[in-house]
Amino acid sequence: MGGRRLQAIVAVLLAGLWGAALAIPHLGGEAWFLDRVEATMTDLRTLVRGVRKPPSSVLIVAVDDAFVREEGKYPVSRGTLARIIDGVARFSPKAVAVDVLLLDAGDEADDAALADALARNRSVIAGAAVFDADRQRLGPAGGGALDRVPIADRLALPLDLFAQRAAVGLVNVATDFGGTPRLVPMVFRASDRIEASFPLQAASVALNAEPAFEPGRMVLGDRAVPTDLGQRLPIGYYGPRGTIETVGAGALLAGTVDRGQVEGRIVVIGATVIGSGDVFPTPFDPVLPGVEVISTAISNLVAGDGLVRDARVRLADATVAVLLPMILVALLAWRRSLPGFAAMAVVMALWLTANFAFFAQGIWFSAALPIAAAIPPVIIYGADQLWLDRRRAQSFAVQNEILQHFQAPALRDWLAHDPGFLAEPVRQEAAIVFIDLSGFTAFSEVASAVAMRELLDDFYRLVEEEAQARSGVITSFMGDGAMIVFGLPQPTPGDPANALACAAALAARAKSWLAAQPASFAKRIGIKLGAHCGSIVASRLGGGRQQQITATGDTVNVASRLMEVAAQNGADVALSGDLYRAAGEALPAAGRLQGPLQAPIRGRSGTMTVWLWRGAQDMPAGA
């Protein structure tokens, strides 16, 4: 298995483990560190879902600012509260829920009037659970129906005078870090007793049904309501302040509210007075009255249109938290290019679309958990791969820099934009120049390896400079010689002239270089060059893993044999008549060209026309 594949598999598995590590606390309702992101995403999805028409099962009778001004005080007296209850009762509501804490004794007559009013109706009054900590403390898990319900440190309950005449429910809600109510606990534990919530009591009285609790849900009459951990009901908001139908207490007492507005409905009596302090921020409204939050929960219970986040939804969240980062990391490992990133974007878009679509249908899948599970692994793996890619790029750059020394610059640049160059042999016209140091083999037997390397380096350098100056390509260095091709990678009309000029320049520079060497070397070494032009076969030679671009054919062989002709005649360069004619019979600037003569060529029958060139330093004085 390749290193990169193994690395990708490990990264995918680690991404899944990271998602599982986040999913475990989420399954237990302990992922508080994701609350801020989840709250923001929940508000966004709620706004996208939009304002919904609430069911007609609930009516709010508001103790509003206008009514308080008429009464002249707030809170209003319990006698007034009794008159409001009696005013509601005239129109046959299903239940009257009074969202007012009746903790202390008041005026005796008013208290008695309120107690009588409660007794005459199917009434619910409010109590409260008190928690010493900032967050509601949840009970332990144990597999029972009432596991994880909030545990109150103490209870604030109505006076017995009222509690004996009406059902009591606790009005506490569970808020997020920003104070937005997200859940309403259906029951609370306090010491050795269980207390129902205010919305649950109101729904139970209205439906005339006792709730039954099962793990992950609550059965109320003929309906089963899914609940979150600890039998808490997620709130599904309908809209801003006033979305749930509201009438003023003053209008009710004045007789301007008709029977149709009240009959058969759960009537919630509560304060909407500005400055009462009983307000909450919600996705739709920064100051939604507490009575409307409670009424929303009652409507969700009765109509079954609240949000659903139960054990199955949390398990689905955990599955997505494991799979989503694994899929994204796998796609990133598959291809770190536009198709790979596009595939990742498609996966994220599909997940987000599905998440919003399910939320619109009332199923509250977590958005924060998959995001937190996916982003870190993708960033870490992407950064790691970017770092490794940079290291590989640096390594490749070093290797390329090294390998550039083993290929002629013209061929190197050509191969860069045409990797298939000479994949098949090509017959074309070219000019060939061979240069060789005669006597070097005998000298190498007595010279040191270091001295030989330094001399050859100097010699190869001057050959390379002269070849590149005239568009020649050195296809090989052969011990103490070199072969230069004029016509690669593409032939040009000036190749023969360039070859002739290069041969003459090489002879002159080589002679000057030899003259500058120690006498022990210079007197033993000579120089010979051969040059010819004609048809060659340009190709790649070698095995599948190591190849060399070179030229072969009779033209190459003749150019090599012409070096012998140069040595036999004491000339620096022997060039063919074909090359001389193709070059336009242009003489080099310095030196002397002799010929033509007919010279035999080893390996060929007959003779061929040859010209000899000697540098200026080899010419007799006055020549």
Side-chain angles (χ1 to χ4, degrees), residues 5-17:
R5 175 181 289 185
L6 178 61
Q7 187 182 58
I9 291 174
V10 171
V12 169
L13 292 176
L14 289 176
L17 289 174

Side-chain angles (χ1 to χ4, degrees), residues 246-323:
T246 303
V247 299
L252 177 76
L253 295 180
T256 59
V257 175
D258 59 47
R259 174 176 289 273
Q261 292 178 272
V262 179
E263 188 173 17
R265 303 174 77 176
I266 301 171
V267 177
V268 183
I269 301 171
T272 62
V273 179
I274 295 176
S276 66
D278 186 23
V279 293
F280 295 92
T282 69
F284 292 109
D285 200 317
V287 286
L288 190 70
V291 65
E292 195 156 353
V293 173
I294 293 297
S295 298
T296 299
I298 296 171
S299 296
N300 291 164
L301 269 175
V302 174
D305 61 355
L307 295 176
V308 176
R309 185 172 69 174
D310 56 11
R312 291 178 299 175
V313 171
R314 285 184 177 270
L315 183 60
D317 288 339
T319 302
V320 173
V322 172
L323 293 181

Side-chain angles (χ1 to χ4, degrees), residues 544-567:
R545 297 180 61 86
Q546 182 175 344
Q547 295 182 331
Q548 176 182 351
I549 291 177
T550 189
T552 56
D554 183 65
T555 300
V556 177
N557 294 332
V558 169
S560 176
R561 301 292 188 262
L562 285 172
M563 289 191 295
E564 298 175 3
V565 175

Side-chain angles (χ1 to χ4, degrees), residues 23-32 131 135-152 174 183-190 194 213-216 227-233 309 311 314:
I24 290 172
H26 176 73
L27 289 172
E30 300 295 335
W32 51 266
F131 300 89
R135 298 174 61 88
Q136 293 181 4
R137 181 165 58 95
L138 301 182
L146 296 181
D147 289 346
R148 310 302 309 278
V149 301
I151 299 177
L183 303 154
V184 176
M186 294 292 96
V187 289
F188 299 82
R189 286 187 184 274
I194 298 291
F213 294 98
E214 300 174 3
T227 55
D228 200 359
L229 299 171
Q231 297 293 352
R232 295 181 297 175
L233 179 73
R309 185 172 69 174
R314 285 184 177 270

Side-chain angles (χ1 to χ4, degrees), residues 465-606:
E465 290 173 358
E466 293 300 331
Q468 290 185 8
R470 292 165 180 82
S471 302
V473 171
I474 302 172
T475 58
S476 63
F477 285 108
M478 300 166 292
D480 54 358
M483 179 176 116
I484 309 170
V485 180
F486 296 83
L488 285 179
Q490 293 291 326
T492 66
D495 292 335
N498 286 335
L500 178 56
C502 181
L506 277 174
R509 280 198 63 182
K511 287 297 184 86
S512 299
W513 171 71
L514 286 172
Q517 302 304 317
S520 60
F521 173 72
K523 68 182 182 180
R524 298 187 181 193
I525 305 300
I527 187 170
K528 55 186 178 181
L529 291 97
H532 183 40
C533 70
S535 178
I536 66 165
V537 176
S539 63
R540 296 185 184 185
L541 296 180
R545 297 180 61 86
Q546 182 175 344
Q547 295 182 331
Q548 176 182 351
I549 291 177
T550 189
T552 56
D554 183 65
T555 300
V556 177
N557 294 332
V558 169
S560 176
R561 301 292 188 262
L562 285 172
M563 289 191 295
E564 298 175 3
V565 175
Q568 292 167 0
N569 290 275
D572 295 333
V573 182
L575 56 125
S576 68
D578 294 337
L579 176 65
Y580 184 53
R581 286 192 301 273
E585 301 181 353
L587 294 175
R592 184 177 61 185
L593 192 67
Q594 294 180 323
L597 60 90
Q598 297 298 312
I601 303 298
R602 182 166 57 88
R604 297 187 67 177
S605 61

